Amino acid sequence: MNPILTISHLNKTFESGFQALKDINLSIERGEIFALLGQNGAGKTTLISIICGIVNATSGTVSVAGKDIAHHYRDARSLIGLVPQELYTDSFESVWNTVSFSRGLFGKPPNPALIEKILKELSLWDKRDNKIITLSGGMKRRLMIAKALSHEPQLLFLDEPTAGVDVSLRKDMWQLVKALQTAGTTIILTTHYIEEAEEMADRIGIIRNGELILVDEKLALMKKLGKKELTLQLAGPLDAIPAELNIPELSLSANRLELKYTFESSGEGMGAADVLHKLSTHGIVFKDLQTRQSTLEDIFVDLVNAGGKETSAALAPTATTGEDHHAA
Amino acid sequence: MLLNLYGIRAIYEFEMARTRRTLMQSIVAPVISTALYFIVFGSAIGSRISQMEGITYGAFIVPGLIMLSLLTQSISNASFGIYFPKFTGTIYEILSAPLSPLEITLSYVGAAASKSIILGLIILATSAFFVPLRIDHPAWMLLYLLLTSVTFSMMGFIIGIWADGFEKLQAIPLLIVTPLTFLGGSFYSISVLPPFWQKVALLNPVVYLISGFRWSFYSIEDVSLWLSLGMTVSFLMVSVLAVIWIFKTGYRLKK
C-alpha cells in the first residue's frame, strides 16, 4: 500500500535567512502513529505547517496519498486534519457552529449526526450551544480536535495536543488517539511529553536544528539506544570485585555495600542473569536489587545533546524488588 | 471538486453571522450617521441652499451619502473580515482548507459586498423619509451599487491582508478614502469648483463612482457615464490583479 505521506528533500529557509528545515525525507505508512520529537525551534511546527499549506516550502516535494500538496492541493488538503499547538478559536462562536464551519470549509456537506458523534466522544455535547469564550482550556483543546475531525481526515496532525492539559484529560486524549488509529486514521503528533510518544507512537522521528536525525520504530529505538542498570544492595561489605568480574560495566560503591552493573537493552554483552550467576559462584550475597531502564526521554535528551551520535542514554527507574536474595 | 461551494458558503455564512452579532456597529450606526447628515445638510442647512443642478440639495446628496457609506463600510467589512482571523490565528484553518484563492476571495468579498449592498439599500430607504427621491435608472443604480461594493470590498480585503495592526487597518479608510469621498462630489457637483480644481478633482477616482451613481438617480453627471463605468471597472480589475498577486506570493498570509 502506498504511504499516506511522502516528503522528499524538503527545505525551508525563511526570509530572514534562517533555515528551518534541511533536506527532510520521510515516509509515513497508513494507520501508524508517528511521533515527531524535537526541542523548541527544531522545525516540528514548520514541517507540519508546510504539509498543511500554511507555510510555503523553499524546495522539495510533499505528497499526501500520492497527491502533491502544491499541484493537487485540494485532494491533498481534504485528507488532512490539523490540531495546531495554539488554541486559535473564534471566541464568540458556539461550539456547534465552529465545528460545522470547519466541516464546510473542507468541502463536506452538513452532517449533524457526525458532528453530534464527535462532540459526544470529546465530551463537548453538553457545551454545543456555549460560546467558545466560556470554555475551559481543556475543553478548547478538545474543541480543536473536534474541528480537525469534522471532515473525517485520513491523516491527522496533532501539534502538542496535550500541552496545558491535566493528567486525566491527557490519558483520555491518548485513548482517543488510539481509537482514531483503530478507526484507520494515520496520526502524526509532536509533543514535549516524551512519555506521550512512548505511550502511543509506533515510530519516532527526532528533529534537531531542522534536520531529521533519526527515524525508527519506537521499540527498536529503545532497544538499540536504551540501557539498563542493575543495582545490588549487598548483605555485607565487599572488599573488591572478583577478578573474573572486573569489567568497566560493573562498579562497587565507595561504602562497598552496593554493586552497579550497566548493560545494553539490546542484550549484547553479558546480561544481568550472567552477572548474578557469577556473583553467586563467588559467594556474594545481596539483600535487595533494583533495575533501571532508560526511557525514550533519556534517549531523546541524549541524542539531542550529543549532537546526534548514537550514545547511551541516562537511566530512570523502572522496577525494584525487595528482601534478601542470593544470586541465582 | 471543481469549486468548493460548501467552503465558500461556510465563510460567507460565518461573515454574515458576524454582521448579525454586531448589528449596532454594522447597520444601525451607519444608518443613524446618514440620517444625521440628512437632518443637518438636507433639512437644516440644505433648506437654505438653492438647488444643485436642478435638484433640491437634500435629494442631491443622497447618492453621495450612500456612496460614502458604501465605500467606508465595504472596506471596513472586508478588511476586518480577513484581518481578524490573522489577528486571532484562526487563519490557519482557512489556509489549510482545500480552498482556492478565488474561493477565499469570493467568500470574504462576497460577504462584505452583500453587507454593503444591504446597508446601501437601507440608507436609500431611510433617505426617502427625509427628502423627495427619484431613481431614473434603477438597473444602473443597482449595477453601480454592486460594482462599487465589490470593488471596495476587494480593496478592503487587500488592506486587511496588508495590515499588521489595527492602526493600519483604520489608516487607509480614514486618511485616504473618507477625504477622497468628501472631495469627490458627495455634497456638491464638481462643476461648482473653479476650472483648475475641476481638473484636479478628475484625479480623484471617487468622482467617477459618485458621478455615475448620481446619474442613475437624476440623469445628471460630472463625467460621462461610460467614462465613469470604465473607471469603476478599471478599479475592480486593479483590485483583482492585486489579490491574484497576493495569493500567488502568499504575501502577508504565508511565511
Coordinates of all heavy atoms in Angstrom, one line a residue, chain A residues 12 14 52-57 73-75 77-78 80 82-84 87-90 92-93 98 100-110 131 144 147-148, chain B residues 1-11 14 17-18 21 84-85 88-101 103 108 248-250 253-255:
Chain A
K12 N 13.3 24.5 4.0 CA 12.6 25.7 4.2 C 13.6 26.8 4.8 O 14.2 26.5 5.8 CB 11.4 25.6 5.2 CG 10.8 26.9 5.6 CD 10.1 27.6 4.4 CE 9.6 29.0 4.8 NZ 9.0 29.6 3.7
F14 N 13.5 30.8 5.8 CA 12.7 32.0 5.9 C 13.4 33.2 5.3 O 14.6 33.2 5.1 CB 12.3 32.2 7.4 CG 11.3 31.2 7.9 CD1 11.7 30.1 8.7 CD2 10.0 31.3 7.6 CE1 10.8 29.2 9.2 CE2 9.1 30.4 8.1 CZ 9.5 29.3 8.9
C52 N 0.5 21.1 5.6 CA -0.9 21.6 5.7 C -1.2 22.8 4.8 O -2.4 23.1 4.7 CB -1.3 21.9 7.1 SG -1.3 20.4 8.2
G53 N -0.2 23.4 4.2 CA -0.4 24.5 3.3 C -0.4 25.9 4.0 O -0.7 26.9 3.4
I54 N 0.1 25.9 5.2 CA 0.1 27.2 5.9 C 1.4 28.0 5.6 O 1.5 29.2 5.7 CB -0.1 27.0 7.4 CG1 -1.4 26.3 7.7 CG2 0.0 28.3 8.2 CD1 -1.6 25.7 9.0
V55 N 2.5 27.2 5.4 CA 3.8 27.8 5.1 C 4.3 27.2 3.8 O 4.0 26.1 3.4 CB 4.8 27.4 6.2 CG1 6.2 27.8 5.9 CG2 4.4 28.1 7.5
N56 N 4.9 28.1 3.0 CA 5.4 27.6 1.7 C 6.8 27.0 1.9 O 7.6 27.5 2.6 CB 5.6 28.8 0.7 CG 4.2 29.4 0.2 OD1 3.3 28.6 0.1 ND2 4.1 30.7 0.0
A57 N 7.0 25.9 1.1 CA 8.3 25.3 1.2 C 9.3 26.0 0.3 O 8.8 26.7 -0.7 CB 8.2 23.8 0.7
Y73 N -3.5 20.4 -4.4 CA -3.7 20.8 -3.0 C -5.1 20.5 -2.5 O -5.3 20.2 -1.3 CB -3.4 22.3 -2.8 CG -4.3 23.3 -3.5 CD1 -5.5 23.8 -2.9 CD2 -4.1 23.6 -4.8 CE1 -6.3 24.6 -3.5 CE2 -5.0 24.5 -5.5 CZ -6.1 25.0 -4.8 OH -6.9 25.8 -5.4
R74 N -6.1 20.6 -3.4 CA -7.5 20.3 -2.9 C -7.6 18.8 -2.4 O -8.1 18.6 -1.4 CB -8.5 20.4 -4.1 CG -9.0 21.8 -4.3 CD -10.2 21.7 -5.3 NE -10.4 22.9 -6.0 CZ -11.0 24.0 -5.5 NH1 -11.5 23.9 -4.2 NH2 -11.2 25.1 -6.2
D75 N -7.1 17.9 -3.3 CA -7.2 16.5 -2.9 C -6.4 16.2 -1.7 O -6.8 15.5 -0.8 CB -6.7 15.6 -4.1 CG -7.6 15.7 -5.3 OD1 -8.8 16.0 -5.1 OD2 -7.1 15.5 -6.4
R77 N -5.2 18.4 0.7 CA -5.7 19.0 2.0 C -7.0 18.4 2.5 O -7.2 18.4 3.7 CB -5.9 20.5 1.8 CG -4.6 21.3 1.6 CD -4.9 22.7 1.5 NE -3.7 23.5 0.9 CZ -3.8 24.7 0.5 NH1 -4.9 25.4 0.6 NH2 -2.8 25.3 0.0
S78 N -7.8 17.9 1.6 CA -9.1 17.4 2.1 C -8.9 16.1 2.9 O -9.7 15.7 3.7 CB -10.0 17.1 0.9 OG -9.5 16.2 0.1
I80 N -6.4 15.9 5.1 CA -5.6 16.3 6.3 C -6.5 17.0 7.4 O -7.3 17.8 7.0 CB -4.4 17.2 5.9 CG1 -3.5 16.5 4.9 CG2 -3.7 17.7 7.1 CD1 -2.4 17.4 4.4
L82 N -5.8 19.1 11.0 CA -4.8 19.7 11.8 C -5.3 20.3 13.1 O -6.2 21.0 13.2 CB -4.1 20.9 11.0 CG -3.2 21.8 11.8 CD1 -1.9 21.1 12.2 CD2 -2.8 23.0 10.9
V83 N -4.6 19.8 14.2 CA -4.9 20.4 15.5 C -3.6 21.2 15.9 O -2.6 20.7 16.2 CB -5.1 19.3 16.6 CG1 -5.4 20.0 17.9 CG2 -6.3 18.4 16.2
P84 N -3.7 22.6 15.7 CA -2.5 23.3 16.0 C -2.1 23.4 17.4 O -2.9 23.1 18.3 CB -2.8 24.7 15.4 CG -4.3 24.8 15.5 CD -4.8 23.4 15.4
L87 N -4.3 27.6 20.8 CA -5.8 27.4 20.8 C -6.4 28.6 20.0 O -6.8 29.6 20.6 CB -6.3 27.4 22.3 CG -5.8 26.3 23.1 CD1 -6.2 26.5 24.6 CD2 -6.4 25.0 22.6
Y88 N -6.3 28.5 18.7 CA -6.9 29.5 17.9 C -8.4 29.3 17.7 O -8.8 28.3 17.1 CB -6.3 29.5 16.5 CG -4.8 29.7 16.4 CD1 -4.0 28.8 15.8 CD2 -4.2 30.8 17.0 CE1 -2.6 29.0 15.7 CE2 -2.8 31.0 17.0 CZ -2.0 30.1 16.3 OH -0.7 30.3 16.2
T89 N -9.2 30.2 18.3 CA -10.6 30.0 18.2 C -11.3 31.3 18.0 O -10.8 32.4 18.3 CB -11.2 29.4 19.5 OG1 -10.8 30.2 20.6 CG2 -10.7 27.9 19.7
D90 N -12.6 31.2 17.5 CA -13.4 32.4 17.4 C -14.2 32.5 18.7 O -15.2 31.8 18.8 CB -14.3 32.3 16.2 CG -13.5 32.5 14.9 OD1 -12.9 33.5 14.7 OD2 -13.5 31.5 14.1
F92 N -16.5 34.1 20.1 CA -17.9 34.4 20.2 C -18.8 33.4 19.4 O -20.0 33.6 19.4 CB -18.2 35.9 19.8 CG -17.4 36.8 20.7 CD1 -16.3 37.5 20.2 CD2 -17.8 37.0 22.0 CE1 -15.6 38.4 21.0 CE2 -17.1 37.9 22.9 CZ -16.0 38.5 22.4
E93 N -18.1 32.5 18.8 CA -18.9 31.4 18.1 C -19.3 30.4 19.0 O -18.7 30.1 20.1 CB -18.0 30.8 17.0 CG -18.1 31.5 15.6 CD -19.4 31.4 15.0 OE1 -20.1 30.4 15.1 OE2 -19.8 32.4 14.3
T98 N -18.9 26.3 15.2 CA -17.5 26.4 14.8 C -17.1 25.0 14.2 O -16.3 24.9 13.3 CB -16.5 26.8 15.9 OG1 -15.3 27.2 15.3 CG2 -16.3 25.8 16.9
S100 N -19.2 22.8 12.8 CA -19.9 22.7 11.5 C -19.2 23.6 10.4 O -19.0 23.2 9.3 CB -21.3 23.2 11.6 OG -22.0 22.5 12.6
F101 N -18.7 24.7 10.8 CA -17.9 25.6 9.9 C -16.7 24.9 9.4 O -16.4 25.0 8.2 CB -17.5 26.9 10.7 CG -16.5 27.8 10.0 CD1 -17.0 28.6 9.0 CD2 -15.2 27.8 10.4 CE1 -16.1 29.5 8.3 CE2 -14.3 28.6 9.7 CZ -14.7 29.5 8.7
S102 N -16.0 24.2 10.3 CA -14.8 23.5 9.8 C -15.1 22.5 8.8 O -14.4 22.3 7.8 CB -14.1 22.9 11.0 OG -13.6 23.8 11.9
R103 N -16.2 21.7 9.0 CA -16.6 20.7 8.0 C -16.9 21.3 6.7 O -16.4 20.8 5.7 CB -17.8 19.9 8.6 CG -18.2 18.8 7.7 CD -19.3 17.9 8.2 NE -19.8 17.0 7.2 CZ -19.3 15.9 6.9 NH1 -18.2 15.5 7.5 NH2 -19.8 15.1 5.9
G104 N -17.6 22.4 6.7 CA -17.9 23.1 5.5 C -16.7 23.6 4.7 O -16.6 23.4 3.5
L105 N -15.7 24.2 5.5 CA -14.5 24.7 4.9 C -13.8 23.6 4.0 O -13.2 23.9 3.0 CB -13.5 25.1 6.0 CG -13.5 26.5 6.5 CD1 -12.3 26.7 7.3 CD2 -13.6 27.5 5.4
F106 N -13.9 22.4 4.5 CA -13.2 21.3 3.8 C -14.1 20.6 2.7 O -13.8 19.6 2.2 CB -12.7 20.3 4.8 CG -11.4 20.7 5.5 CD1 -11.4 21.7 6.5 CD2 -10.2 20.2 5.0 CE1 -10.2 22.1 7.0 CE2 -9.0 20.7 5.6 CZ -9.0 21.6 6.6
G107 N -15.2 21.4 2.4 CA -15.9 20.9 1.2 C -16.9 19.8 1.5 O -17.3 19.1 0.5
K108 N -17.2 19.6 2.7 CA -18.1 18.4 3.1 C -19.5 19.0 3.4 O -19.7 20.0 4.0 CB -17.6 17.7 4.3 CG -16.3 16.9 4.1 CD -16.5 15.7 3.2 CE -15.2 15.0 2.9 NZ -14.7 14.2 4.0
P109 N -20.5 18.2 2.9 CA -21.9 18.7 3.2 C -22.2 18.5 4.6 O -21.6 17.8 5.3 CB -22.8 17.7 2.3 CG -21.9 16.5 2.1 CD -20.5 17.0 2.1
P110 N -23.2 19.3 5.1 CA -23.5 19.2 6.6 C -23.9 17.8 7.0 O -24.5 17.1 6.2 CB -24.8 20.1 6.7 CG -24.7 21.0 5.5 CD -24.0 20.3 4.4
K131 N -20.8 29.6 23.9 CA -19.8 30.3 23.2 C -18.4 29.8 23.6 O -18.2 29.4 24.8 CB -19.9 31.8 23.5 CG -21.0 32.5 22.8 CD -21.1 34.0 23.0 CE -22.2 34.6 22.3 NZ -22.4 36.0 22.6
M144 N -10.6 22.0 19.5 CA -9.7 22.0 18.3 C -9.6 20.6 17.6 O -9.6 20.5 16.4 CB -8.3 22.4 18.7 CG -8.2 23.8 19.4 SD -8.7 25.1 18.4 CE -7.3 25.3 17.3
K147 N -12.8 20.1 15.7 CA -12.8 20.8 14.4 C -12.0 20.0 13.4 O -12.4 19.9 12.2 CB -12.2 22.2 14.6 CG -13.2 23.2 15.2 CD -12.5 24.5 15.7 CE -12.1 25.4 14.6 NZ -13.2 26.1 13.9
A148 N -10.9 19.5 13.8 CA -10.0 18.8 12.9 C -10.6 17.5 12.4 O -10.3 17.0 11.3 CB -8.6 18.5 13.6
Chain B
M1 N -13.5 17.9 -7.1 CA -14.2 19.1 -6.7 C -13.8 20.3 -7.5 O -12.7 20.7 -7.5 CB -13.9 19.2 -5.2 CG -14.4 20.4 -4.6 SD -14.1 20.6 -2.8 CE -13.0 19.4 -2.2
L2 N -14.7 20.8 -8.4 CA -14.4 21.9 -9.2 C -14.4 23.2 -8.4 O -13.5 24.0 -8.6 CB -15.4 22.0 -10.4 CG -15.2 21.1 -11.6 CD1 -16.3 21.2 -12.6 CD2 -13.8 21.3 -12.2
L3 N -15.4 23.3 -7.6 CA -15.5 24.5 -6.8 C -15.9 24.1 -5.4 O -16.9 23.3 -5.3 CB -16.5 25.5 -7.4 CG -16.4 27.0 -7.1 CD1 -15.1 27.5 -7.6 CD2 -17.6 27.7 -7.8
N4 N -15.2 24.6 -4.4 CA -15.6 24.1 -3.0 C -16.7 25.0 -2.5 O -16.6 26.0 -1.8 CB -14.4 24.3 -2.1 CG -14.6 23.8 -0.7 OD1 -15.8 23.5 -0.3 ND2 -13.6 23.7 0.1
L5 N -17.9 24.7 -3.0 CA -19.1 25.5 -2.7 C -19.4 25.5 -1.2 O -19.9 26.5 -0.6 CB -20.3 25.0 -3.5 CG -20.3 25.3 -5.0 CD1 -21.4 24.7 -5.7 CD2 -20.2 26.8 -5.3
Y6 N -19.2 24.3 -0.6 CA -19.5 24.3 0.9 C -18.6 25.2 1.6 O -18.9 25.8 2.6 CB -19.4 22.8 1.4 CG -20.5 21.9 0.9 CD1 -20.3 20.9 0.0 CD2 -21.8 22.2 1.4 CE1 -21.4 20.1 -0.4 CE2 -22.9 21.4 1.0 CZ -22.7 20.3 0.1 OH -23.7 19.5 -0.3
G7 N -17.3 25.2 1.1 CA -16.3 26.1 1.8 C -16.7 27.5 1.6 O -16.6 28.3 2.6
I8 N -17.1 27.9 0.4 CA -17.5 29.3 0.2 C -18.6 29.7 1.1 O -18.7 30.7 1.7 CB -17.9 29.5 -1.3 CG1 -16.6 29.3 -2.2 CG2 -18.5 30.9 -1.6 CD1 -17.0 29.3 -3.7
R9 N -19.6 28.7 1.1 CA -20.8 29.0 1.9 C -20.5 29.1 3.4 O -21.0 30.0 4.1 CB -21.8 27.9 1.7 CG -23.2 28.3 2.2 CD -24.2 27.2 1.9 NE -24.3 26.2 3.0 CZ -25.2 25.2 3.0 NH1 -26.0 25.1 2.0 NH2 -25.2 24.3 4.0
A10 N -19.5 28.3 3.9 CA -19.2 28.3 5.3 C -18.6 29.7 5.7 O -19.0 30.3 6.7 CB -18.1 27.2 5.6
I11 N -17.7 30.2 4.9 CA -17.1 31.5 5.2 C -18.1 32.6 5.0 O -18.2 33.5 5.9 CB -15.9 31.8 4.3 CG1 -14.7 30.8 4.5 CG2 -15.3 33.2 4.5 CD1 -13.5 30.9 3.6
F14 N -20.5 32.6 7.9 CA -19.8 33.0 9.1 C -19.7 34.5 9.2 O -19.9 35.1 10.2 CB -18.4 32.3 9.1 CG -17.5 32.7 10.3 CD1 -17.6 32.0 11.5 CD2 -16.7 33.8 10.2 CE1 -16.9 32.4 12.6 CE2 -15.9 34.2 11.3 CZ -16.0 33.5 12.5
A17 N -23.0 36.0 9.7 CA -23.4 35.8 11.1 C -22.7 36.9 12.0 O -23.3 37.4 13.0 CB -23.1 34.4 11.6
R18 N -21.5 37.2 11.7 CA -20.8 38.2 12.4 C -21.5 39.6 12.3 O -21.5 40.3 13.3 CB -19.3 38.3 11.9 CG -18.4 39.1 12.8 CD -17.0 38.8 12.4 NE -16.6 39.2 11.1 CZ -16.4 40.4 10.6 NH1 -16.4 41.4 11.5 NH2 -16.1 40.7 9.4
R21 N -24.3 39.5 14.6 CA -23.9 39.7 16.0 C -23.5 41.1 16.4 O -23.6 41.5 17.5 CB -22.7 38.8 16.3 CG -23.0 37.3 16.5 CD -21.8 36.6 17.3 NE -20.5 36.8 16.6 CZ -20.0 35.9 15.7 NH1 -20.7 34.9 15.4 NH2 -18.9 36.1 15.2
F84 N -9.2 39.9 11.0 CA -9.5 39.3 12.3 C -8.9 37.8 12.4 O -8.3 37.5 13.4 CB -10.9 39.4 12.6 CG -11.2 39.3 14.1 CD1 -10.7 40.3 15.0 CD2 -11.9 38.3 14.7 CE1 -10.9 40.3 16.3 CE2 -12.2 38.3 16.0 CZ -11.7 39.2 16.9
P85 N -9.2 37.0 11.5 CA -8.6 35.6 11.5 C -7.1 35.6 11.6 O -6.4 34.8 12.3 CB -9.0 34.9 10.3 CG -10.2 35.7 9.8 CD -10.0 37.1 10.3
T88 N -6.4 36.7 15.3 CA -6.7 35.6 16.3 C -5.9 34.3 16.0 O -5.8 33.5 16.9 CB -8.2 35.3 16.4 OG1 -8.6 34.9 15.0 CG2 -9.0 36.5 16.8
G89 N -5.4 34.2 14.8 CA -4.7 32.9 14.4 C -5.6 31.9 13.7 O -5.1 30.9 13.2
T90 N -6.9 32.2 13.7 CA -7.8 31.2 13.0 C -7.6 31.1 11.5 O -8.2 30.2 10.9 CB -9.3 31.5 13.4 OG1 -9.5 32.8 13.0 CG2 -9.6 31.3 14.8
I91 N -6.8 32.0 11.0 CA -6.5 31.9 9.5 C -5.9 30.6 9.1 O -6.0 30.2 8.0 CB -5.6 33.1 9.1 CG1 -5.4 33.3 7.6 CG2 -4.2 33.0 9.7 CD1 -6.6 34.0 7.0
Y92 N -5.3 29.9 10.1 CA -4.6 28.6 9.8 C -5.6 27.7 9.2 O -5.3 26.9 8.3 CB -4.1 28.0 11.1 CG -5.1 27.1 11.9 CD1 -5.2 25.8 11.6 CD2 -5.9 27.7 12.9 CE1 -6.2 25.0 12.3 CE2 -6.8 27.0 13.5 CZ -6.9 25.6 13.3 OH -7.9 24.9 13.9
E93 N -6.9 27.8 9.6 CA -7.9 26.8 9.1 C -8.3 27.2 7.7 O -8.5 26.3 6.9 CB -9.1 26.9 10.0 CG -9.9 25.6 10.0 CD -11.1 25.6 11.0 OE1 -11.4 26.7 11.5 OE2 -11.6 24.5 11.2
I94 N -8.3 28.4 7.4 CA -8.6 28.9 6.0 C -7.5 28.4 5.1 O -7.8 27.9 4.0 CB -8.8 30.4 5.9 CG1 -9.8 30.9 7.0 CG2 -9.2 30.9 4.5 CD1 -11.2 30.5 6.8
L95 N -6.3 28.7 5.5 CA -5.1 28.4 4.6 C -4.9 26.9 4.4 O -4.4 26.4 3.4 CB -3.8 29.0 5.2 CG -3.8 30.5 5.3 CD1 -2.5 30.9 6.0 CD2 -3.9 31.1 3.9
S96 N -5.3 26.1 5.4 CA -5.1 24.6 5.3 C -6.3 23.9 4.7 O -6.3 22.7 4.5 CB -4.8 24.0 6.7 OG -5.9 24.2 7.6
A97 N -7.4 24.7 4.4 CA -8.6 24.1 3.8 C -8.4 23.9 2.3 O -7.6 24.7 1.7 CB -9.8 24.9 4.1
P98 N -9.1 23.0 1.7 CA -9.0 22.9 0.2 C -9.8 24.0 -0.5 O -10.8 23.7 -1.2 CB -9.6 21.5 0.0 CG -10.5 21.2 1.1 CD -10.0 22.0 2.3
L99 N -9.3 25.2 -0.3 CA -10.0 26.3 -0.9 C -9.0 27.0 -1.8 O -7.8 27.3 -1.4 CB -10.4 27.3 0.2 CG -11.7 27.0 1.0 CD1 -11.7 27.8 2.3 CD2 -12.9 27.3 0.2
S100 N -9.4 27.4 -3.0 CA -8.5 28.1 -3.9 C -8.6 29.6 -3.5 O -9.5 30.1 -2.8 CB -9.0 28.0 -5.4 OG -10.3 28.7 -5.5
P101 N -7.6 30.4 -4.0 CA -7.6 31.8 -3.7 C -8.9 32.5 -4.2 O -9.4 33.3 -3.5 CB -6.4 32.3 -4.5 CG -5.4 31.2 -4.6 CD -6.3 30.0 -4.6
E103 N -11.8 31.2 -4.3 CA -12.9 30.8 -3.4 C -12.8 31.6 -2.1 O -13.8 32.1 -1.6 CB -12.9 29.3 -3.1 CG -13.3 28.5 -4.3 CD -12.8 27.1 -4.3 OE1 -12.0 26.7 -3.4 OE2 -13.2 26.3 -5.2
Y108 N -15.1 36.1 1.2 CA -14.9 37.3 2.1 C -15.5 38.5 1.4 O -16.2 39.3 2.0 CB -13.5 37.5 2.5 CG -13.0 36.6 3.6 CD1 -12.2 35.5 3.4 CD2 -13.4 36.9 4.9 CE1 -11.8 34.7 4.4 CE2 -13.0 36.0 5.9 CZ -12.2 34.9 5.7 OH -11.9 34.1 6.7
K248 N -0.7 34.4 -5.0 CA 0.4 33.7 -5.7 C 1.7 33.8 -4.9 O 2.5 32.8 -4.9 CB 0.6 34.4 -7.1 CG 1.2 33.5 -8.1 CD 1.2 34.2 -9.5 CE 1.9 33.3 -10.5 NZ 2.0 33.9 -11.8
T249 N 1.9 34.9 -4.2 CA 3.2 35.0 -3.5 C 3.0 34.6 -2.0 O 4.0 34.4 -1.3 CB 3.7 36.5 -3.5 OG1 2.6 37.3 -3.0 CG2 4.0 36.9 -4.9
G250 N 1.7 34.6 -1.6 CA 1.5 34.3 -0.1 C 1.7 35.5 0.7 O 1.8 35.4 1.9
L253 N 0.3 36.4 4.1 CA -0.6 35.3 4.5 C 0.3 34.1 4.9 O 0.0 33.4 5.9 CB -1.5 34.9 3.4 CG -2.7 35.8 3.1 CD1 -3.5 35.3 1.9 CD2 -3.6 35.8 4.3
K254 N 1.3 33.8 4.1 CA 2.1 32.6 4.3 C 3.5 33.0 4.5 O 4.0 33.9 3.8 CB 2.0 31.6 3.2 CG 0.7 31.0 3.0 CD 0.8 29.9 1.9 CE -0.6 29.3 1.7 NZ -0.5 28.2 0.7
K255 N 4.2 32.3 5.4 CA 5.7 32.7 5.6 C 6.5 31.9 4.5 O 6.2 30.9 4.1 CB 6.1 32.2 7.0 CG 5.5 33.1 8.1 CD 5.8 32.6 9.4 CE 5.1 33.4 10.5 NZ 5.2 32.7 11.8

